[in-house]
Amino acid sequence: MIQVEGLTKDYGKRRAIDGLIFHAEQGEILGFLGPNGAGKTTTMRILTGYMPPTAGKAQIAGFDVVDDSLEVRKRVGYLPETVPLYPDMSVFEYLKFMGELRQLRDVEDRVDEALEMVHLEERADSYIGSLSKGMRQRVGLAQALLHKPEVLILDEPTIGLDPAQIIDVRNLIRELGQERTVLLSTHILSEAQQLCNRVLIINKGHIVVEDTPERLQARLAGAQRVILKVRGEPDGLDKMLAAVPGVLRVNLRSDNALEFEVTPGQDARPAVARMVIGAGFDLLELRTVDISLEEIFVELTREEPQPPAVAEDLEDASALDAADGDEEVEE
Amino acid sequence: MRNIWTIARREYKLFFISPIAYVVAFLFLFVLGLFFSLNMYGAIRQLFMGQSSAPDVQIITGPMITLLLFTVPAVTMRTIAEEQRSGTLELLLTAPVRDWELIAGKWLGTFLFMASLLLMTGVFPLALNLMVKPGIDLGLTAANYLGLLLLVSNMLAIGIAVSALFANQIAAFFIGLGAVLTLWLLNNVSQYVTGVWKTIVDALDLIAHFLSFYRGIIDLKDVVYFISMTFLFLFIGSALIEMRRWR
């Protein structure tokens, strides 16, 4: 449904996105994850026909976003980051206007349907200027749903909503994602985790990683993190710890606890325990912690002198294994 | 075509939602009324002194073109600049609407508003018609109003093209005013140049083309001038939108 090949966009000398390659199928919710300024909005703007790419191709439902821009725009529902609304129109007028621009038949029925989907029926006659941020967000979403598009592109759809509304909108997206293609951007990881079938982590215009949220987590769950506490100052313990086979990246925390990772598939804890006791320390705590998606995210999008080579291998994301991905970002 | 109409209708309605339209319409009609009264007073005095004939529609349309110079940029400054500032331009440019349809719709909406305003100024010729005997020259009045409509059409196209350049309404107003004023002042430049330059300056001269209508002459070349200038600036406006995408 969405087919992107080598998409590149320059703003003057600054390269916003660089050779993005990805695709999304019908009935799939693809999450676009990345820090601010990573190129998420740029990519979405190209896909919606707002601006052309500097290089590369993008197709939606078989239509090129540059050559068949109008056909693409007919098939895409788009919610931009700053929800574009006319504050001096009523909700109903606004949606009717958008429906007329899309030349829909039975515009008023469509507007009613869309309002129902976002639970805004009672506010149909309110002026948009008088609505709360959450409601405006939902009006924007209604606008994107008006023409029952095959592809929905949502730029940070839950931003500014209260927790109850976030749940509502997420449920709606999940529902919509069953038969449509949804591309959504977010920087909330739990959202990507809950909603998306697949996650693309993008940083500085490059795709850093592409995988299902479960597998992303599993990849790093193998590399467990262990916390070790001893009574008193752990003088010299970090060096001894690093010497234990299977222990990686020892880190002395400010609270005197030691944190380290172990090579995947290996439990170094018994060896560590023996070493600690052998060295004459009182062992207080030795426990493993899971690495959250947040940490993976921070890890993957850290400042790097060179874009990681992982992106090239991503055409076959399954070929990546945990150790591989980990090493690439360590540099 | 339907898109043009949809956009034009919203644009037209917006004038009556926002206070701008009322302010602009009120000031325009109020100042025009002042000019009308003053000119009538002057004409009556001259009449008593036996120096001139009865006043005609020119005492209304004359001041009107000066007022239009300021009114039209005030009407067009918002059109694209405001969409740009509030981010709604992104909405319009990702809807299945062609760039020229957007510009044409904006032009049509503002044109309908200005045409409504010109219609309202019709009270002045009507009043004048009652005051002079045997009534005013209707042919001259028609020619003047046709000229005004064409002039307004051209000025609106310029204003909208300028508005497409900016995200700031004030900037759009002043540059729009400057652009119209430049074409306007070519009338004064005309006497200082010769040869090819004079041909070019005279061809582009906004006021010279209006003056024939003002004198009651409907010349095809003036009609063609205003219509082609309107299309030219609407084309420039679409091109500016298109360029905005590539930026």
Side-chain angles (χ1 to χ4, degrees):
Chain A
M1 205 40 114
I2 302 178
Q3 200 76 40
V4 172
E5 276 165 45
L7 211 60
T8 301
K9 175 78 188 176
D10 294 335
Y11 293 115
K13 278 191 181 146
R14 198 174 68 82
R15 181 151 286 193
I17 54 170
D18 192 1
L20 295 193
I21 300 170
F22 66 89
H23 62 96
E25 302 309 323
Q26 194 179 349
E28 186 173 41
I29 304 180
L30 182 63
F32 234 45
L33 212 63
N36 295 329
K40 293 172 293 188
T41 301
T42 302
T43 311
M44 292 186 154
R45 284 183 163 173
I46 293 171
L47 290 178
T48 51
Y50 179 66
M51 57 189 188
T54 309
K57 276 179 104 62
Q59 285 190 332
I60 286 183
F63 293 100
D64 188 271
V65 292
V66 179
D67 301 334
D68 291 308
S69 182
L70 284 189
E71 292 302 317
V72 168
R73 290 188 239 165
K74 275 181 200 161
R75 286 166 175 79
V76 172
Y78 177 39
L79 175 68
E81 197 176 5
T82 44
V83 186
L85 300 170
Y86 296 108
D88 37 25
M89 285 175 115
S90 78
V91 173
F92 190 86
E93 279 171 345
Y94 167 75
L95 292 175
K96 197 177 159 202
F97 170 66
M98 289 312 296
E100 282 168 352
L101 272 190
R102 294 194 170 274
Q103 313 205 342
L104 302 180
R105 259 180 271 158
D106 312 317
V107 181
E108 304 203 348
D109 294 344
R110 290 292 189 84
V111 171
D112 288 335
E113 266 173 57
L115 281 173
E116 206 174 310
M117 286 176 102
V118 298
H119 308 294
L120 266 181
E121 304 97 312
E122 314 93 69
R123 303 306 296 265
D125 296 321
S126 306
Y127 279 95
I128 291 173
S130 72
L131 297 181
S132 68
K133 190 160 192 298
M135 286 187 196
R136 290 180 193 205
Q137 190 79 18
R138 285 189 277 162
V139 177
L141 201 56
Q143 168 273 127
L145 297 172
L146 212 51
H147 51 298
K148 300 181 179 164
E150 295 166 55
V151 175
L152 266 175
I153 295 183
L154 312 171
D155 203 351
E156 315 235 346
T158 56
I159 207 159
L161 300 180
D162 68 39
Q165 292 167 338
I166 288 179
I167 293 170
D168 262 10
V169 168
R170 282 185 190 160
N171 286 337
L172 179 62
I173 293 172
R174 207 172 284 130
E175 209 176 290
L176 292 165
Q178 283 175 356
E179 59 223 71
R180 286 156 228 265
T181 311
V182 181
L183 175 63
L184 68 90
S185 78
T186 177
H187 53 238
I188 309 163
L189 290 126
S190 60
E191 185 163 285
Q193 213 161 355
Q194 287 175 35
L195 278 177
C196 303
N197 307 107
R198 214 143 45 84
V199 174
L200 287 177
I201 296 183
I202 174 172
N203 188 35
K204 296 188 171 165
H206 292 270
I207 294 174
V208 185
V209 93
E210 173 184 359
D211 216 332
T212 63
E214 295 79 24
R215 278 226 302 261
L216 263 182
Q217 218 172 11
R219 264 170 59 179
L220 281 117
Q224 264 177 338
R225 186 170 296 180
V226 183
I227 290 176
L228 167 71
K229 275 186 188 159
V230 295
R231 195 186 301 280
E233 299 280 316
D235 295 320
L237 191 57
D238 47 349
K239 290 210 180 63
M240 286 186 263
L241 199 53
V244 176
V247 173
L248 306 165
R249 281 207 263 189
V250 181
N251 178 25
L252 179 60
R253 295 201 319 203
S254 54
D255 62 347
N256 273 340
L258 284 157
E259 206 180 82
F260 61 91
E261 282 169 28
V262 292
T263 21
Q266 217 179 319
D267 196 349
R269 281 177 297 175
V272 169
R274 275 195 294 276
M275 185 277 292
V276 170
I277 291 162
F281 289 98
D282 290 341
L283 179 60
L284 292 181
E285 191 179 341
L286 186 61
R287 69 183 161 91
T288 61
V289 281
D290 278 337
I291 300 176
S292 69
L293 203 51
E294 263 85 358
E295 285 168 284
I296 302 174
F297 178 68
V298 171
E299 199 85 310
L300 290 173
T301 57
R302 242 185 350 201
E303 284 291 320
E304 292 157 34
Q306 280 282 304
V310 206
E312 265 99 63
D313 303 329
L314 276 170
E315 274 151 321
D316 187 12
S318 56
L320 279 174
D321 63 45
D324 234 336
D326 225 24
E327 270 172 27
E328 299 285 3
V329 292
E330 259 181 51
E331 299 164 1
Chain B
M1 282 318 243
R2 241 173 85 188
N3 288 335
I4 297 177
W5 181 236
T6 307
I7 290 168
R9 221 177 36 200
R10 195 196 90 80
E11 200 62 30
Y12 186 75
K13 274 193 204 156
L14 197 66
F15 280 113
F16 298 95
I17 298 169
S18 69
I20 314 166
Y22 294 102
V23 172
V24 165
F26 174 77
L27 276 177
F28 189 83
L29 293 171
F30 179 75
V31 176
L32 190 59
L34 279 182
F35 274 114
F36 179 63
S37 314
L38 284 172
N39 285 343
M40 276 309 281
Y41 178 72
I44 290 165
R45 249 181 57 164
Q46 283 188 330
L47 217 56
F48 273 121
M49 297 195 288
Q51 283 171 341
S52 114
S53 53
D56 54 37
V57 75
Q58 290 175 339
I59 67 160
I60 300 152
T61 51
M64 206 154 32
I65 58 165
T66 318
L67 285 178
L68 285 175
L69 179 64
F70 297 95
T71 312
V72 170
V75 164
T76 54
M77 65 178 186
R78 206 199 64 248
T79 48
I80 311 281
E82 177 64 13
E83 304 265 7
Q84 173 82 17
R85 194 196 55 77
S86 70
T88 44
L89 193 64
E90 189 165 355
L91 189 75
L92 296 175
L93 295 187
T94 55
V97 178
R98 291 174 185 87
D99 294 353
W100 64 265
E101 289 177 325
L102 171 64
I103 292 286
K106 290 282 181 185
W107 174 83
L108 184 59
T110 51
F111 182 74
L112 290 176
F113 173 73
M114 286 309 294
S116 313
L117 192 59
L118 287 183
L119 193 70
M120 283 188 258
T121 66
V123 295
F124 298 114
L126 276 179
L128 187 63
N129 193 34
L130 293 175
M131 285 188 263
V132 297
K133 281 216 160 108
I136 54 169
D137 183 342
L138 287 180
L140 181 68
T141 309
N144 265 269
Y145 268 83
L146 177 64
L148 282 173
L149 275 179
L150 287 166
L151 180 69
V152 159
S153 150
N154 183 359
M155 287 165 81
L156 287 170
I158 296 174
I160 287 168
V162 168
S163 185
L165 266 177
F166 296 99
N168 182 309
Q169 295 192 32
I170 306 297
F173 174 80
F174 281 105
I175 304 297
L177 181 66
V180 177
L181 203 56
T182 306
L183 285 176
W184 188 290
L185 292 177
L186 285 180
N187 198 234
N188 301 26
V189 175
S190 180
Q191 50 186 306
Y192 301 113
V193 289
T194 48
V196 190
W197 286 106
K198 188 169 169 56
T199 320
I200 295 172
V201 167
D202 285 347
L204 290 175
D205 188 338
L206 191 72
I207 286 308
H209 288 280
F210 175 74
L211 281 179
S212 359
F213 292 99
Y214 185 69
R215 296 186 188 112
I217 305 154
I218 300 173
D219 190 336
L220 189 65
K221 84 172 195 311
D222 301 316
V223 177
V224 168
Y225 167 82
F226 283 118
I227 291 177
S228 45
M229 286 292 265
T230 303
F231 273 100
L232 173 69
F233 280 99
L234 291 182
F235 174 77
I236 292 175
S238 319
L240 288 172
I241 295 272
E242 179 79 29
M243 266 167 63
R244 186 169 287 286
R245 291 179 187 271
W246 285 93
R247 210 180 290 163

